[in-house]
């Protein structure tokens, strides 16, 4: 009889261990799938922010998705100035490739991401940088930058001009002769 109760209680322990392991496995799977969904959602938000701000020039979207700290950095007047800089560039030429990645502060929680895009315009290009986070309830823009670059000949960054080593053959070398119509020194 004692042998039978020992087998029964050891069987119960095994069943409890199996249940605990299954629950841990389900919890890990759920955390991983949630992490992947958050990473996907962050990339989608970054793409949406790029489209709404740079392509559609939606100042309301821009202002409503700023984090509290970003609102302090971008008061309404600065938001308008920022958007005016983007509008002055015109419509982007070609597709915009947004590069970046999502990271998690504590393995599965506190997602944040940093993204960069080079945006080609007819006469020049601009760099667009964006950092986002999802502290509670929704995605928000933490930092944003739009930097206009120098003029270019075609899509992509312009090559720097070669250094001027000598004068072109059509240009006359500078001479020490006085310009025409002026008297030589000492002739008054």
């Amino acid at each position: 009889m004692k042998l039978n109760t020992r087998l029964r209680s050891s069987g119960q322990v095994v069943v409890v261990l199996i249940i605990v392991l299954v629950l841990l496995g389900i919890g890990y799977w759920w955390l991983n799938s949630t992490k992947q969904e958050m990473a996907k959602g962050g990339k989608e938000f970054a793409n949406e922010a790029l489209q709404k701000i740079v392509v559609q020039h939606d100042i309301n979207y821009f202002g409503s998705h700023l984090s509290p700290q970003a609102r302090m950095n971008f008061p309404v007047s600065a938001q308008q100035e920022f958007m005016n800089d983007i509008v002055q560039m015109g419509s982007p030429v070609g597709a915009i490739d947004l590069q970046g990645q999502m990271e998690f502060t504590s393995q599965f929680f506190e997602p944040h991401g940093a993204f960069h895009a080079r945006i080609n315009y007819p006469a020049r290009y601009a760099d667009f940088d964006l950092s986002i986070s999802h502290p509670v309830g929704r995605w928000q823009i933490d930092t944003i930058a739009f930097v206009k670059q120098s003029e270019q000949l075609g899509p992509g960054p312009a090559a720097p001009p070669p250094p001027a080593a000598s004068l072109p053959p059509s240009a006359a070398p500078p001479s020490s002769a006085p310009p025409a119509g002026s008297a030589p020194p000492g002739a008054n």
Side-chain angles (χ1 to χ4, degrees):
M1 181 122 169
K2 264 194 172 200
L3 183 59
N4 209 2
T5 42
R6 274 193 188 160
L7 285 175
R8 191 177 303 158
S9 61
S10 69
Q12 290 173 347
V13 168
V14 169
V15 168
V16 169
L17 283 175
I18 290 173
I19 291 172
V20 167
L21 289 175
V22 167
L23 289 175
L24 287 174
I26 290 171
Y28 184 74
W29 170 82
W30 180 78
L31 285 171
N32 259 343
S33 65
T34 302
K35 179 180 178 179
Q36 290 173 354
E37 287 176 23
M38 291 296 280
K40 182 181 175 190
K43 290 178 182 176
E44 289 172 355
F45 175 74
N47 276 317
E48 178 184 19
L50 173 76
Q51 289 298 317
K52 293 278 191 178
I53 296 168
V54 174
V55 177
Q56 298 173 10
H57 309 134
D58 188 347
I59 193 164
N60 294 325
Y61 180 91
F62 175 52
S64 67
H65 286 84
L66 290 174
S67 69
Q69 181 60 46
R71 281 194 185 129
M72 290 175 59
N73 296 342
F74 278 99
V76 176
S77 60
Q79 291 175 29
Q80 188 64 48
E81 185 178 327
F82 182 81
M83 197 58 73
N84 287 341
D85 283 346
I86 294 172
V87 170
Q88 285 176 355
M89 295 293 285
S91 296
V93 176
I96 301 171
D97 184 27
L98 185 67
Q99 300 290 321
Q101 64 181 12
M102 294 297 300
E103 295 178 356
F104 292 79
T105 302
S106 56
Q107 188 63 28
F108 297 107
F109 306 104
E110 299 177 32
H112 58 278
F115 297 89
H116 173 79
R118 171 133 316 152
I119 304 164
N120 292 315
Y121 291 96
R124 55 178 147 175
Y125 69 96
D127 287 321
F128 179 77
D129 293 305
L130 177 73
S131 66
I132 62 172
S133 64
H134 190 281
V136 178
R138 72 180 189 118
W139 290 101
Q140 65 184 17
I141 298 170
D142 294 329
T143 62
I144 189 168
F146 185 82
V147 181
K148 296 185 263 186
Q149 302 299 328
S150 61
E151 294 196 20
Q152 62 186 7
L153 299 174
S166 64
L167 293 173
S170 63
S175 67
S176 59
S182 65
N188 271 352

